[in-house]
Amino acid sequence: MTMTTPQAPDDSSLPQPAIPKQATAEHRRRETAFVAWVEQLCAADPGARTALRSGLRKNLDAVPQMHRVVAPWLPTDSTPTDTQRAYYTVASMIAAQPSSAFVLPNPLTDDHDQHATVDAPQPSPRGTPGFGQSLGIAFAKAVVQSPGRDKTMREATAESRLNLLTRQSVPGLHRHLPAAVAYLRACDVPVDWAQLLTDLTHWRRHSGRITRRWLQDYYRLREKDNRQAAARRDEEDTQNTPEDPAP
């Protein structure tokens, strides 16, 4: 199977990125398409996956093997360093997932030529710009036991790891994030890579607001889960309580 160079959407006229909630639809489409492309590439091309994985926790000048995949997706030739690093970091974290995270189309069941080249996916349809699932939601989900998951994260661990990330500078976040994300994936918790890419891009200017969203999402979902767990216990107690004998 061969790889063709991805044709990233042209948005040279786009305004500079603002706070994530105000990110343009074009930026969101690019980020979503980039994530889909990297996932598809990792499934189809082990060599490309190895090249991307080699950039984990490294700076931009130490990842020559990644450029052929990531560079065509950078918005412009003068893309800010923070944006570049966000793209490279997310690509390396996607590639660092276990092989089981990547699924190729089944040639026996899907209408797909098994000898076809891997083309860059088309951007998703334009939608309303907004937030995806934050890292706070991912950590909250890691604490909750759910069907099909053999491993959960202790609540104290989840809270500690999330708080550690929120206190980081840009270099610190890129240094600590791979281990945190790997833990989430080990717990079989999905990560919204496109939203994480947005957050990394804007971290230097808007880390306070992003941090607030991560923590609010985490504690909001934890409180909801606690209420539901309490309701289930109450229902079980009611069902297990013997009825008073009739007089």
Side-chain angles (χ1 to χ4, degrees), residues 107-140:
L108 299 178
T109 58
D110 297 340
D111 185 16
H112 178 79
D113 181 0
Q114 60 180 332
H115 300 295
T117 59
V118 179
D119 297 317
Q122 295 298 313
S124 57
R126 183 186 299 270
T128 303
F131 293 137
Q133 291 200 351
S134 75
L135 210 59
I137 291 177
F139 273 101

PDB file of all heavy atoms in Angstrom, residues 107-140:
ATOM      1  N   PRO A 107     -11.396  -5.410   3.193  1.00  0.00           N
ATOM      2  CA  PRO A 107     -11.654  -5.541   1.758  1.00  0.00           C
ATOM      3  C   PRO A 107     -12.723  -6.567   1.431  1.00  0.00           C
ATOM      4  O   PRO A 107     -13.279  -6.566   0.339  1.00  0.00           O
ATOM      5  CB  PRO A 107     -10.286  -5.983   1.203  1.00  0.00           C
ATOM      6  CG  PRO A 107      -9.589  -6.616   2.357  1.00  0.00           C
ATOM      7  CD  PRO A 107     -10.052  -5.849   3.565  1.00  0.00           C
ATOM      8  N   LEU A 108     -13.027  -7.475   2.383  1.00  0.00           N
ATOM      9  CA  LEU A 108     -14.043  -8.486   2.131  1.00  0.00           C
ATOM     10  C   LEU A 108     -15.447  -7.984   2.385  1.00  0.00           C
ATOM     11  O   LEU A 108     -16.419  -8.530   1.872  1.00  0.00           O
ATOM     12  CB  LEU A 108     -13.791  -9.714   3.015  1.00  0.00           C
ATOM     13  CG  LEU A 108     -12.444 -10.421   2.789  1.00  0.00           C
ATOM     14  CD1 LEU A 108     -12.309 -11.588   3.756  1.00  0.00           C
ATOM     15  CD2 LEU A 108     -12.325 -10.895   1.351  1.00  0.00           C
ATOM     16  N   THR A 109     -15.539  -6.923   3.201  1.00  0.00           N
ATOM     17  CA  THR A 109     -16.870  -6.419   3.553  1.00  0.00           C
ATOM     18  C   THR A 109     -17.095  -4.989   3.117  1.00  0.00           C
ATOM     19  O   THR A 109     -18.222  -4.540   3.008  1.00  0.00           O
ATOM     20  CB  THR A 109     -17.097  -6.496   5.078  1.00  0.00           C
ATOM     21  OG1 THR A 109     -16.073  -5.730   5.745  1.00  0.00           O
ATOM     22  CG2 THR A 109     -17.012  -7.937   5.553  1.00  0.00           C
ATOM     23  N   ASP A 110     -16.009  -4.252   2.873  1.00  0.00           N
ATOM     24  CA  ASP A 110     -16.145  -2.857   2.484  1.00  0.00           C
ATOM     25  C   ASP A 110     -15.868  -2.698   0.999  1.00  0.00           C
ATOM     26  O   ASP A 110     -15.076  -3.424   0.409  1.00  0.00           O
ATOM     27  CB  ASP A 110     -15.170  -1.975   3.276  1.00  0.00           C
ATOM     28  CG  ASP A 110     -15.457  -2.012   4.763  1.00  0.00           C
ATOM     29  OD1 ASP A 110     -16.589  -2.387   5.129  1.00  0.00           O
ATOM     30  OD2 ASP A 110     -14.546  -1.681   5.538  1.00  0.00           O
ATOM     31  N   ASP A 111     -16.517  -1.762   0.396  1.00  0.00           N
ATOM     32  CA  ASP A 111     -16.288  -1.445  -1.007  1.00  0.00           C
ATOM     33  C   ASP A 111     -15.023  -0.616  -1.119  1.00  0.00           C
ATOM     34  O   ASP A 111     -15.058   0.591  -1.263  1.00  0.00           O
ATOM     35  CB  ASP A 111     -17.496  -0.679  -1.575  1.00  0.00           C
ATOM     36  CG  ASP A 111     -17.340  -0.430  -3.075  1.00  0.00           C
ATOM     37  OD1 ASP A 111     -16.480  -1.094  -3.691  1.00  0.00           O
ATOM     38  OD2 ASP A 111     -18.079   0.434  -3.601  1.00  0.00           O
ATOM     39  N   HIS A 112     -13.868  -1.302  -1.026  1.00  0.00           N
ATOM     40  CA  HIS A 112     -12.599  -0.605  -0.946  1.00  0.00           C
ATOM     41  C   HIS A 112     -11.534  -1.428  -1.645  1.00  0.00           C
ATOM     42  O   HIS A 112     -11.413  -2.634  -1.426  1.00  0.00           O
ATOM     43  CB  HIS A 112     -12.205  -0.400   0.526  1.00  0.00           C
ATOM     44  CG  HIS A 112     -10.870   0.274   0.696  1.00  0.00           C
ATOM     45  ND1 HIS A 112     -10.706   1.618   0.557  1.00  0.00           N
ATOM     46  CD2 HIS A 112      -9.643  -0.238   1.002  1.00  0.00           C
ATOM     47  CE1 HIS A 112      -9.439   1.931   0.776  1.00  0.00           C
ATOM     48  NE2 HIS A 112      -8.763   0.815   1.042  1.00  0.00           N
ATOM     49  N   ASP A 113     -10.773  -0.823  -2.525  1.00  0.00           N
ATOM     50  CA  ASP A 113      -9.687  -1.494  -3.218  1.00  0.00           C
ATOM     51  C   ASP A 113      -8.505  -1.629  -2.287  1.00  0.00           C
ATOM     52  O   ASP A 113      -7.933  -0.644  -1.846  1.00  0.00           O
ATOM     53  CB  ASP A 113      -9.294  -0.673  -4.459  1.00  0.00           C
ATOM     54  CG  ASP A 113      -8.172  -1.342  -5.251  1.00  0.00           C
ATOM     55  OD1 ASP A 113      -7.705  -2.420  -4.835  1.00  0.00           O
ATOM     56  OD2 ASP A 113      -7.776  -0.768  -6.287  1.00  0.00           O
ATOM     57  N   GLN A 114      -8.134  -2.890  -1.974  1.00  0.00           N
ATOM     58  CA  GLN A 114      -7.069  -3.078  -1.008  1.00  0.00           C
ATOM     59  C   GLN A 114      -5.724  -2.584  -1.515  1.00  0.00           C
ATOM     60  O   GLN A 114      -4.781  -2.439  -0.749  1.00  0.00           O
ATOM     61  CB  GLN A 114      -6.959  -4.562  -0.642  1.00  0.00           C
ATOM     62  CG  GLN A 114      -6.642  -5.465  -1.831  1.00  0.00           C
ATOM     63  CD  GLN A 114      -6.538  -6.918  -1.406  1.00  0.00           C
ATOM     64  OE1 GLN A 114      -6.192  -7.213  -0.272  1.00  0.00           O
ATOM     65  NE2 GLN A 114      -6.856  -7.824  -2.310  1.00  0.00           N
ATOM     66  N   HIS A 115      -5.604  -2.319  -2.828  1.00  0.00           N
ATOM     67  CA  HIS A 115      -4.361  -1.806  -3.375  1.00  0.00           C
ATOM     68  C   HIS A 115      -4.418  -0.293  -3.594  1.00  0.00           C
ATOM     69  O   HIS A 115      -3.509   0.302  -4.151  1.00  0.00           O
ATOM     70  CB  HIS A 115      -4.044  -2.494  -4.709  1.00  0.00           C
ATOM     71  CG  HIS A 115      -3.894  -3.988  -4.570  1.00  0.00           C
ATOM     72  ND1 HIS A 115      -2.876  -4.559  -3.838  1.00  0.00           N
ATOM     73  CD2 HIS A 115      -4.665  -5.012  -5.034  1.00  0.00           C
ATOM     74  CE1 HIS A 115      -2.990  -5.888  -3.879  1.00  0.00           C
ATOM     75  NE2 HIS A 115      -4.074  -6.178  -4.583  1.00  0.00           N
ATOM     76  N   ALA A 116      -5.494   0.305  -3.151  1.00  0.00           N
ATOM     77  CA  ALA A 116      -5.652   1.738  -3.358  1.00  0.00           C
ATOM     78  C   ALA A 116      -4.676   2.513  -2.498  1.00  0.00           C
ATOM     79  O   ALA A 116      -4.226   2.052  -1.467  1.00  0.00           O
ATOM     80  CB  ALA A 116      -7.103   2.161  -3.026  1.00  0.00           C
ATOM     81  N   THR A 117      -4.364   3.712  -2.929  1.00  0.00           N
ATOM     82  CA  THR A 117      -3.470   4.565  -2.155  1.00  0.00           C
ATOM     83  C   THR A 117      -4.222   5.187  -1.010  1.00  0.00           C
ATOM     84  O   THR A 117      -5.450   5.303  -1.035  1.00  0.00           O
ATOM     85  CB  THR A 117      -2.888   5.678  -3.044  1.00  0.00           C
ATOM     86  OG1 THR A 117      -3.976   6.439  -3.584  1.00  0.00           O
ATOM     87  CG2 THR A 117      -2.055   5.093  -4.164  1.00  0.00           C
ATOM     88  N   VAL A 118      -3.483   5.623   0.001  1.00  0.00           N
ATOM     89  CA  VAL A 118      -4.084   6.275   1.155  1.00  0.00           C
ATOM     90  C   VAL A 118      -4.125   7.764   0.883  1.00  0.00           C
ATOM     91  O   VAL A 118      -3.105   8.442   0.909  1.00  0.00           O
ATOM     92  CB  VAL A 118      -3.274   5.997   2.435  1.00  0.00           C
ATOM     93  CG1 VAL A 118      -3.896   6.715   3.623  1.00  0.00           C
ATOM     94  CG2 VAL A 118      -3.213   4.500   2.696  1.00  0.00           C
ATOM     95  N   ASP A 119      -5.281   8.268   0.560  1.00  0.00           N
ATOM     96  CA  ASP A 119      -5.431   9.689   0.270  1.00  0.00           C
ATOM     97  C   ASP A 119      -5.841  10.432   1.516  1.00  0.00           C
ATOM     98  O   ASP A 119      -6.460   9.877   2.415  1.00  0.00           O
ATOM     99  CB  ASP A 119      -6.501   9.911  -0.815  1.00  0.00           C
ATOM    100  CG  ASP A 119      -6.090   9.277  -2.134  1.00  0.00           C
ATOM    101  OD1 ASP A 119      -4.914   9.425  -2.508  1.00  0.00           O
ATOM    102  OD2 ASP A 119      -6.945   8.629  -2.763  1.00  0.00           O
ATOM    103  N   ALA A 120      -5.526  11.710   1.546  1.00  0.00           N
ATOM    104  CA  ALA A 120      -5.944  12.529   2.676  1.00  0.00           C
ATOM    105  C   ALA A 120      -7.458  12.579   2.725  1.00  0.00           C
ATOM    106  O   ALA A 120      -8.110  12.770   1.707  1.00  0.00           O
ATOM    107  CB  ALA A 120      -5.389  13.941   2.531  1.00  0.00           C
ATOM    108  N   PRO A 121      -8.066  12.403   3.879  1.00  0.00           N
ATOM    109  CA  PRO A 121      -9.515  12.431   3.984  1.00  0.00           C
ATOM    110  C   PRO A 121     -10.052  13.814   3.694  1.00  0.00           C
ATOM    111  O   PRO A 121      -9.387  14.822   3.917  1.00  0.00           O
ATOM    112  CB  PRO A 121      -9.770  12.045   5.450  1.00  0.00           C
ATOM    113  CG  PRO A 121      -8.517  12.429   6.156  1.00  0.00           C
ATOM    114  CD  PRO A 121      -7.405  12.200   5.181  1.00  0.00           C
ATOM    115  N   GLN A 122     -11.268  13.853   3.177  1.00  0.00           N
ATOM    116  CA  GLN A 122     -11.893  15.139   2.918  1.00  0.00           C
ATOM    117  C   GLN A 122     -12.328  15.766   4.234  1.00  0.00           C
ATOM    118  O   GLN A 122     -12.769  15.070   5.147  1.00  0.00           O
ATOM    119  CB  GLN A 122     -13.111  14.958   2.007  1.00  0.00           C
ATOM    120  CG  GLN A 122     -12.741  14.455   0.625  1.00  0.00           C
ATOM    121  CD  GLN A 122     -11.842  15.431  -0.092  1.00  0.00           C
ATOM    122  OE1 GLN A 122     -12.097  16.624  -0.115  1.00  0.00           O
ATOM    123  NE2 GLN A 122     -10.762  14.921  -0.686  1.00  0.00           N
ATOM    124  N   PRO A 123     -12.230  17.091   4.350  1.00  0.00           N
ATOM    125  CA  PRO A 123     -12.666  17.746   5.587  1.00  0.00           C
ATOM    126  C   PRO A 123     -14.138  17.456   5.851  1.00  0.00           C
ATOM    127  O   PRO A 123     -14.931  17.282   4.931  1.00  0.00           O
ATOM    128  CB  PRO A 123     -12.437  19.243   5.293  1.00  0.00           C
ATOM    129  CG  PRO A 123     -11.425  19.263   4.185  1.00  0.00           C
ATOM    130  CD  PRO A 123     -11.698  18.029   3.367  1.00  0.00           C
ATOM    131  N   SER A 124     -14.481  17.405   7.122  1.00  0.00           N
ATOM    132  CA  SER A 124     -15.867  17.172   7.488  1.00  0.00           C
ATOM    133  C   SER A 124     -16.707  18.378   7.102  1.00  0.00           C
ATOM    134  O   SER A 124     -16.201  19.487   6.949  1.00  0.00           O
ATOM    135  CB  SER A 124     -15.967  16.945   8.998  1.00  0.00           C
ATOM    136  OG  SER A 124     -15.433  18.049   9.699  1.00  0.00           O
ATOM    137  N   PRO A 125     -18.022  18.176   6.910  1.00  0.00           N
ATOM    138  CA  PRO A 125     -18.883  19.292   6.528  1.00  0.00           C
ATOM    139  C   PRO A 125     -18.798  20.435   7.528  1.00  0.00           C
ATOM    140  O   PRO A 125     -18.588  20.233   8.714  1.00  0.00           O
ATOM    141  CB  PRO A 125     -20.288  18.665   6.528  1.00  0.00           C
ATOM    142  CG  PRO A 125     -20.042  17.198   6.344  1.00  0.00           C
ATOM    143  CD  PRO A 125     -18.747  16.925   7.045  1.00  0.00           C
ATOM    144  N   ARG A 126     -18.961  21.629   7.002  1.00  0.00           N
ATOM    145  CA  ARG A 126     -18.921  22.810   7.870  1.00  0.00           C
ATOM    146  C   ARG A 126     -20.024  22.730   8.915  1.00  0.00           C
ATOM    147  O   ARG A 126     -21.157  22.410   8.621  1.00  0.00           O
ATOM    148  CB  ARG A 126     -19.102  24.073   7.025  1.00  0.00           C
ATOM    149  CG  ARG A 126     -19.009  25.364   7.829  1.00  0.00           C
ATOM    150  CD  ARG A 126     -19.341  26.555   6.939  1.00  0.00           C
ATOM    151  NE  ARG A 126     -18.403  26.650   5.837  1.00  0.00           N
ATOM    152  CZ  ARG A 126     -17.260  27.351   5.882  1.00  0.00           C
ATOM    153  NH1 ARG A 126     -16.932  27.970   6.983  1.00  0.00           N
ATOM    154  NH2 ARG A 126     -16.471  27.402   4.840  1.00  0.00           N
ATOM    155  N   GLY A 127     -19.654  23.001  10.162  1.00  0.00           N
ATOM    156  CA  GLY A 127     -20.635  22.981  11.238  1.00  0.00           C
ATOM    157  C   GLY A 127     -20.470  24.210  12.108  1.00  0.00           C
ATOM    158  O   GLY A 127     -19.692  25.110  11.804  1.00  0.00           O
ATOM    159  N   THR A 128     -21.207  24.255  13.180  1.00  0.00           N
ATOM    160  CA  THR A 128     -21.115  25.371  14.101  1.00  0.00           C
ATOM    161  C   THR A 128     -19.841  25.268  14.926  1.00  0.00           C
ATOM    162  O   THR A 128     -19.616  24.262  15.588  1.00  0.00           O
ATOM    163  CB  THR A 128     -22.325  25.393  15.049  1.00  0.00           C
ATOM    164  OG1 THR A 128     -23.513  25.453  14.270  1.00  0.00           O
ATOM    165  CG2 THR A 128     -22.268  26.606  15.968  1.00  0.00           C
ATOM    166  N   PRO A 129     -18.969  26.278  14.868  1.00  0.00           N
ATOM    167  CA  PRO A 129     -17.736  26.198  15.668  1.00  0.00           C
ATOM    168  C   PRO A 129     -18.067  26.115  17.147  1.00  0.00           C
ATOM    169  O   PRO A 129     -19.032  26.694  17.625  1.00  0.00           O
ATOM    170  CB  PRO A 129     -17.022  27.516  15.334  1.00  0.00           C
ATOM    171  CG  PRO A 129     -17.646  27.997  14.066  1.00  0.00           C
ATOM    172  CD  PRO A 129     -19.069  27.511  14.098  1.00  0.00           C
ATOM    173  N   GLY A 130     -17.256  25.395  17.895  1.00  0.00           N
ATOM    174  CA  GLY A 130     -17.497  25.264  19.325  1.00  0.00           C
ATOM    175  C   GLY A 130     -16.537  24.275  19.928  1.00  0.00           C
ATOM    176  O   GLY A 130     -15.536  23.921  19.324  1.00  0.00           O
ATOM    177  N   PHE A 131     -16.839  23.824  21.115  1.00  0.00           N
ATOM    178  CA  PHE A 131     -15.970  22.916  21.821  1.00  0.00           C
ATOM    179  C   PHE A 131     -16.282  21.471  21.477  1.00  0.00           C
ATOM    180  O   PHE A 131     -17.436  21.083  21.328  1.00  0.00           O
ATOM    181  CB  PHE A 131     -16.130  23.093  23.337  1.00  0.00           C
ATOM    182  CG  PHE A 131     -15.638  24.419  23.837  1.00  0.00           C
ATOM    183  CD1 PHE A 131     -16.362  25.130  24.771  1.00  0.00           C
ATOM    184  CD2 PHE A 131     -14.436  24.942  23.390  1.00  0.00           C
ATOM    185  CE1 PHE A 131     -15.916  26.351  25.255  1.00  0.00           C
ATOM    186  CE2 PHE A 131     -13.978  26.158  23.857  1.00  0.00           C
ATOM    187  CZ  PHE A 131     -14.714  26.870  24.792  1.00  0.00           C
ATOM    188  N   GLY A 132     -15.224  20.662  21.422  1.00  0.00           N
ATOM    189  CA  GLY A 132     -15.384  19.226  21.414  1.00  0.00           C
ATOM    190  C   GLY A 132     -15.281  18.748  22.854  1.00  0.00           C
ATOM    191  O   GLY A 132     -15.513  19.505  23.792  1.00  0.00           O
ATOM    192  N   GLN A 133     -14.921  17.491  23.036  1.00  0.00           N
ATOM    193  CA  GLN A 133     -14.768  16.954  24.385  1.00  0.00           C
ATOM    194  C   GLN A 133     -13.387  17.300  24.914  1.00  0.00           C
ATOM    195  O   GLN A 133     -12.377  16.979  24.291  1.00  0.00           O
ATOM    196  CB  GLN A 133     -14.974  15.441  24.382  1.00  0.00           C
ATOM    197  CG  GLN A 133     -16.412  15.044  24.105  1.00  0.00           C
ATOM    198  CD  GLN A 133     -16.698  13.626  24.569  1.00  0.00           C
ATOM    199  OE1 GLN A 133     -15.806  12.881  24.937  1.00  0.00           O
ATOM    200  NE2 GLN A 133     -17.967  13.261  24.556  1.00  0.00           N
ATOM    201  N   SER A 134     -13.360  17.947  26.052  1.00  0.00           N
ATOM    202  CA  SER A 134     -12.098  18.406  26.618  1.00  0.00           C
ATOM    203  C   SER A 134     -11.354  17.266  27.293  1.00  0.00           C
ATOM    204  O   SER A 134     -11.895  16.181  27.530  1.00  0.00           O
ATOM    205  CB  SER A 134     -12.345  19.521  27.635  1.00  0.00           C
ATOM    206  OG  SER A 134     -12.867  18.978  28.844  1.00  0.00           O
ATOM    207  N   LEU A 135     -10.106  17.542  27.650  1.00  0.00           N
ATOM    208  CA  LEU A 135      -9.313  16.561  28.374  1.00  0.00           C
ATOM    209  C   LEU A 135      -9.911  16.305  29.760  1.00  0.00           C
ATOM    210  O   LEU A 135      -9.749  15.221  30.314  1.00  0.00           O
ATOM    211  CB  LEU A 135      -7.875  17.059  28.491  1.00  0.00           C
ATOM    212  CG  LEU A 135      -6.779  15.987  28.539  1.00  0.00           C
ATOM    213  CD1 LEU A 135      -6.821  15.130  27.288  1.00  0.00           C
ATOM    214  CD2 LEU A 135      -5.415  16.629  28.681  1.00  0.00           C
ATOM    215  N   GLY A 136     -10.608  17.289  30.303  1.00  0.00           N
ATOM    216  CA  GLY A 136     -11.273  17.095  31.589  1.00  0.00           C
ATOM    217  C   GLY A 136     -12.337  16.015  31.507  1.00  0.00           C
ATOM    218  O   GLY A 136     -12.486  15.193  32.429  1.00  0.00           O
ATOM    219  N   ILE A 137     -13.087  15.982  30.424  1.00  0.00           N
ATOM    220  CA  ILE A 137     -14.101  14.944  30.238  1.00  0.00           C
ATOM    221  C   ILE A 137     -13.433  13.575  30.128  1.00  0.00           C
ATOM    222  O   ILE A 137     -13.911  12.586  30.690  1.00  0.00           O
ATOM    223  CB  ILE A 137     -14.941  15.240  28.987  1.00  0.00           C
ATOM    224  CG1 ILE A 137     -15.804  16.489  29.229  1.00  0.00           C
ATOM    225  CG2 ILE A 137     -15.818  14.057  28.607  1.00  0.00           C
ATOM    226  CD1 ILE A 137     -16.620  16.907  28.033  1.00  0.00           C
ATOM    227  N   ALA A 138     -12.309  13.514  29.417  1.00  0.00           N
ATOM    228  CA  ALA A 138     -11.607  12.239  29.265  1.00  0.00           C
ATOM    229  C   ALA A 138     -11.148  11.698  30.616  1.00  0.00           C
ATOM    230  O   ALA A 138     -11.302  10.502  30.911  1.00  0.00           O
ATOM    231  CB  ALA A 138     -10.412  12.414  28.328  1.00  0.00           C
ATOM    232  N   PHE A 139     -10.591  12.569  31.463  1.00  0.00           N
ATOM    233  CA  PHE A 139     -10.148  12.115  32.782  1.00  0.00           C
ATOM    234  C   PHE A 139     -11.328  11.688  33.649  1.00  0.00           C
ATOM    235  O   PHE A 139     -11.226  10.724  34.420  1.00  0.00           O
ATOM    236  CB  PHE A 139      -9.332  13.206  33.473  1.00  0.00           C
ATOM    237  CG  PHE A 139      -7.877  13.178  33.133  1.00  0.00           C
ATOM    238  CD1 PHE A 139      -7.351  14.052  32.206  1.00  0.00           C
ATOM    239  CD2 PHE A 139      -7.023  12.261  33.731  1.00  0.00           C
ATOM    240  CE1 PHE A 139      -5.999  14.021  31.873  1.00  0.00           C
ATOM    241  CE2 PHE A 139      -5.674  12.227  33.416  1.00  0.00           C
ATOM    242  CZ  PHE A 139      -5.152  13.102  32.480  1.00  0.00           C
ATOM    243  N   ALA A 140     -12.445  12.386  33.547  1.00  0.00           N
ATOM    244  CA  ALA A 140     -13.624  11.997  34.319  1.00  0.00           C
ATOM    245  C   ALA A 140     -14.129  10.632  33.871  1.00  0.00           C
ATOM    246  O   ALA A 140     -14.525   9.800  34.695  1.00  0.00           O
ATOM    247  CB  ALA A 140     -14.719  13.054  34.170  1.00  0.00           C
TER     248      ALA A 140
END
